[in-house]
Amino acid sequence: MKRSILLLVMPILILAGCSRDDDFGGNNEIKPVPFTVNIKYDASKYPSVADKGVANVTITMENAATGDKVTGKTDANGDLKLNAVLPGTYTVQAELQLKKNEYEQQLGESTSYEIVHFGGFQEKVAVNANISSALVRISSGNLGDLVIKQYYYAGSDTKLGANFRDQFIEIHNNSDQTIYADGLYLVFLEGNVNNNVANYTLPNGQYNWSQTAGGGTAANTDYVYSNILIKVPGNGSQYPILPGRSIVVAQTALNHKVPFNDINGAGVAIQDPSKTVDLSQADFETYMGDYNLSNGKKPFLWDIQNIMVPDMLVNYWSIASNDLILNVNSMLGVGILRATDAEITGWKKVAAPKAPVGTLFLQIPKKYIIDGVDITDKEQKAPKDFPSDIDASRTFIVNNAGLAEGTFTGLSVIRKTKEIISGRVVLQDTNNSASDFVTIKANPRGYAQ
């Protein structure tokens, strides 16, 4: 089987202050400035070539305010030298593919993969008269044959559809071998909900977890932090995922297109079935009723158990919600992982730096993450939750005009279809969700072309 390894870009920006007059002429006209993007290898992973620039990397810089793009390739020194870039804030995306022999020749180590993918994405890169370059180092991402296929977090119309009751996550087997879902974890990340810089944040607005977790910079680079960790049940061989197939984890495994009775017996109507989805055939659901009762909490009004669908097991739950309600305003990153009970028991529980005596969150070493997807909105109001070597960028729901959509739209982000091999669907996976995902009407077990 041909497989691919994913290398992601982890940026280190060279920053300096500037004044408004630096970029404006006497008539307040913005003056273009020279700017260089340089790509090198991660010193910790590839120390023997740490000073070597990476050639032929395709770089795309997009102006966050105007949407204008500048594209080019790095030279033999790993530099993309631009003579005239308008001052502003940019996103920088980097892409590279190397064949097996090219990878082994350039890095001096062997690989079993036919194609090596490099990808990276950095937000909020400042360009002005005093900031003339960005240094980006590449590092390998985590690999796995299971990928997050669809993340339906928006919910459907609050009056005509199912509100947030029909949310779901779909996980796909991207390999040519059967993989068992038994023991697979879904993890939802905790992070700052805005990118305002404060005494408890990093410069990008994300929490500085070292303030509560200790460990220095590693607290922010080597770990992710979770408020929800739920597990697929099974003895190890109960729930196979066939090659090119997927499983659906529903918030509530009902046909949301038809009326139902809540836990008190009151009828809940559906005005427009086309606005929502049928999840009665989901593989798993996050029924929380018994869990809540065992913890002295009242079950959620709409948390109806489908006895024909296995329940996800709750391993860690530190939020106030009594159901898996995917908060579209908090924009939770979602990941999948595998770990033993003993490993999970050893993970620390720490408070968020913003509230150091508040709720505790699970500190998870990022090496356990098989796949992760960060979400955002067009304005990128919140910082990334995953490190760049888990997801180099972020994705979000857009409408037909390419504009960011709000909540309760019935729209979902879904991974692109890369190819079909003898009937087996292979999804695109470059560890760069901005490139890998598109928007569709939520469609469990559906595909995007």
Side-chain angles (χ1 to χ4, degrees), residues 35 45 65 88 94 101 110 134 165 226 253 276 289 326 330 337 366 390 428:
F35 193 81
K45 188 172 181 63
N101 64 320
S110 61
R165 299 188 302 270
S226 174
T276 182
L326 305 177
S330 296
L337 65 86
K366 69 178 183 181
I390 302 296
Q428 179 171 306

Side-chain angles (χ1 to χ4, degrees), residues 149-261:
K149 173 187 172 184
Q150 191 169 179
Y151 189 13
Y152 176 45
Y153 59 87
S156 55
D157 191 283
T158 57
K159 295 181 180 179
L160 303 179
N163 204 310
F164 48 72
R165 299 188 302 270
D166 58 356
Q167 295 170 325
F168 67 87
I169 296 97
E170 187 172 0
I171 301 166
H172 183 83
N173 180 357
N174 225 23
S175 78
D176 63 356
Q177 303 292 319
T178 296
I179 298 175
Y180 288 91
D182 306 49
L184 185 70
Y185 285 90
L186 264 176
V187 58
F188 298 86
L189 299 196
E190 171 68 11
N192 198 5
V193 296
N194 61 66
N195 52 23
N196 298 331
V197 178
N199 60 4
Y200 51 81
T201 74
L202 300 169
N204 68 350
Q206 187 53 275
Y207 289 146
N208 181 359
W209 288 98
S210 67
Q211 294 184 5
T212 50
T217 58
N220 301 307
T221 60
D222 296 357
Y223 300 89
V224 295
Y225 297 83
S226 174
N227 47 31
I228 297 173
L229 185 66
I230 55 178
K231 180 182 180 181
V232 175
N235 61 15
S237 59
Q238 283 183 257
Y239 301 110
I241 313 175
L242 299 179
R245 305 294 291 272
S246 64
I247 57 171
V248 173
V249 180
Q251 181 197 122
T252 304
L254 298 179
N255 182 358
H256 296 280
K257 293 176 175 288
V258 300
F260 69 99
N261 293 331

Side-chain angles (χ1 to χ4, degrees), residues 248-389:
V248 173
V249 180
Q251 181 197 122
T252 304
L254 298 179
N255 182 358
H256 296 280
K257 293 176 175 288
V258 300
F260 69 99
N261 293 331
D262 65 25
I263 62 172
N264 295 325
V268 179
I270 296 294
Q271 301 298 324
D272 185 350
S274 69
K275 299 288 187 183
T276 182
V277 295
D278 180 359
L279 292 176
S280 61
Q281 301 301 310
D283 297 276
F284 305 96
E285 69 173 353
T286 53
Y287 172 68
M288 299 284 294
D290 294 339
Y291 176 83
N292 285 318
L293 289 171
S294 68
N295 287 278
K297 296 177 65 175
K298 184 178 180 180
F300 187 65
L301 185 66
W302 293 334
D303 192 9
I304 309 299
Q305 186 178 30
N306 182 342
I307 61 173
M308 302 302 293
V309 177
D311 296 333
M312 295 289 284
L313 306 177
V314 178
N315 181 278
Y316 191 74
W317 195 277
S318 65
I319 61 174
S321 174
N322 54 0
D323 199 6
L324 181 65
I325 300 172
L326 305 177
N327 190 320
V328 292
N329 295 316
S330 296
M331 296 177 285
L332 303 175
V334 61
I336 51 178
L337 65 86
R338 289 193 189 274
T340 66
D341 291 343
E343 287 169 331
I344 294 175
T345 299
W347 294 346
K348 295 169 70 173
K349 298 177 179 66
V350 301
K354 186 177 181 179
V357 294
T359 302
L360 298 180
F361 302 95
L362 198 61
Q363 184 191 53
I364 302 174
K366 69 178 183 181
K367 66 182 181 181
Y368 290 93
I369 304 293
I370 298 170
D371 188 37
V373 177
D374 258 322
I375 61 168
T376 183
D377 55 6
K378 181 66 174 177
E379 293 75 26
Q380 299 174 358
K381 296 175 183 176
K384 276 174 57 60
D385 292 325
F386 280 109
S388 294
D389 53 351

Side-chain angles (χ1 to χ4, degrees), residues 44-64:
S44 62
K45 188 172 181 63
Y46 307 109
S48 64
V49 290
D51 296 327
K52 180 181 178 181
V54 185
N56 297 317
V57 179
T58 299
I59 304 293
T60 301
M61 295 181 61
E62 180 175 352
N63 188 298

Side-chain angles (χ1 to χ4, degrees), residues 6-24:
L6 306 171
L7 298 187
L8 301 198
V9 177
M10 299 197 324
I12 301 173
L13 300 182
I14 304 170
L15 303 178
C18 68
S19 66
R20 181 177 176 84
D21 291 339
D22 288 333
D23 298 319
F24 289 81

